Amino acid sequence: MDDIDLQEFLKFLSFASISTDPAYRGEVQKCGEWVLEKFTKLGLEAKLHATAGHPIVTARTPPDPKKRTLLIYGHYDVQPVDPLNLWEGPPFEPQQKGGKVFARGATDNKGQIFGHILGVQKALQQGPLPVNVIFLVEGEEECGSGNLTPFVEANQEFLKCDCVLLSDTGMIAPRTPTISYGLRGLCALEVTLRGPTKDLHSGEFGGAVVNPALVLARLLTTLHDSHGKIAVEGFYDQVAPIQPWEKEAWSKLPLNEKELLHTTGAPQLGGEAGFEPLERIWGRPTIEINGLTSGYQGRGTKTVLPSKASAKLTCRLVPNQTPQEILQKVSDHLRKHCPPTVELQIELGDGGLPYLIDPQSPYIVAAVKALKHIFPDRETAFTRSGGSIPVIAELKRILNVDVVMVGWALPDSNIHSPNENFPVENLEYGLRFNREFLKFMSQP
Ligand SMILES: [Zn+2]
């Protein structure tokens, strides 16, 4: 890696561009301006667009209607750093150790978007690019991308392209080229059960007045049957089955049961009967309880009969489920199973669609060729992700093109955690992949 490029990367990492915390608004702005300046120095037509939140940066090569157009998406904002005491060095003073750069955002997403930028930079140094390139770099990915969808909708003509490329996913193992071709979707709801109007003395009233915490526990257990299947009526109606080739390919990946037990520290795995652990994570929907609240939570004993109990739930969705459909079915289920001894209140939260692309689609094939060029003796791993990046499905929906995801995060890159890091060699891989992808994308 060129020292000038590396120094620039360290500078990019020095901005505390934490988008969710208003105290860092100035830093996010400065970081966006730095990205703008970087694009301008490359000779691109670059612009910083103010939004109701943090700015969006766009840049493009002079459009040539005879060439295909690639849209590269990324984000320059980062997650908060807490717990700060677990960091080995200051999160916004990047340190290099053992071939890695440690800093908040090193992988997610500054290292990965910087690989795209450097790849385009190197290609430009060799002459005009074989395709038109547009960059779309937002500053709100870590706080929900609230202003991105309206921006993309309003700028469809400017963002018109043949495919979207992004690196915000991972590699299955070091030096293993990985393409993610699917993501789960998401929807959220909060359930509250109200019993007596105030917390009661459990001796004076317990036994006659029903305890909302107990009702909630019972209600939540109705969501699954004893085989780990979701018992909500119609929940699986729209679920696209996992293909036989996927089952076979996934069974050969290094992400097996042993590895999952090692990574998570769980004593044993569990889940929906009839599916392997990776199939449950990548190809099957779930309902999770993310938080439970009721009664006395302090030290010691308090003989209370709580007046209410609540649970935060999220569902991970797979193609072709939609958040609207699932929220409706789960709400209906809860209403049906809730006894009249409590009042049920359901608050619906945000959602995002799942995403799946055909691994045989032409731009995925182009990506595989580019990866082969960099890793001649490695097969590209095709993975789906259990996580959700709602913006991917939105880009696909609005721009009506395939989104190609080639990620460089490693399982130990600590994204969103203390001591986030990115191997310098992955920055180099990102650079080279991007340079090659432009060529392969331009070919018929
Ligand atoms: Zn992130």
Side-chain angles (χ1 to χ4, degrees), residues 35 54-55 62 74 87 103 146 188 195 203 211 246 288 293 298 306 336 345 355 379 430:
V35 174
H54 302 297
W87 284 80
N211 188 318
E246 297 182 290
E288 295 288 351
T293 310
K336 190 172 139 196
Q345 191 187 324
Y355 177 74
E379 286 301 317

Side-chain angles (χ1 to χ4, degrees), residues 45-112:
E45 178 197 322
K47 230 173 166 175
L48 187 88
H49 307 261
T51 71
H54 302 297
I56 292 170
V57 184
T58 59
R60 68 171 175 187
T61 55
D64 177 345
K66 292 190 293 298
K67 294 177 183 171
R68 291 184 178 151
T69 301
L70 171 66
L71 176 67
I72 298 172
Y73 163 84
H75 63 93
Y76 67 85
D77 63 320
V78 300
Q79 282 272 315
V81 296
D82 347 32
L84 190 56
N85 60 325
L86 294 183
W87 284 80
E88 280 164 24
F92 296 106
E93 291 171 31
Q95 304 109 57
Q96 296 182 62
K97 253 181 296 176
K100 297 174 173 181
V101 176
F102 286 77
R104 168 58 83 229
T107 290
D108 180 16
N109 180 245
K110 288 177 174 172
Q112 306 207 65

Side-chain angles (χ1 to χ4, degrees), residues 250 254 322 327:
W250 297 353
T322 66
L327 287 174

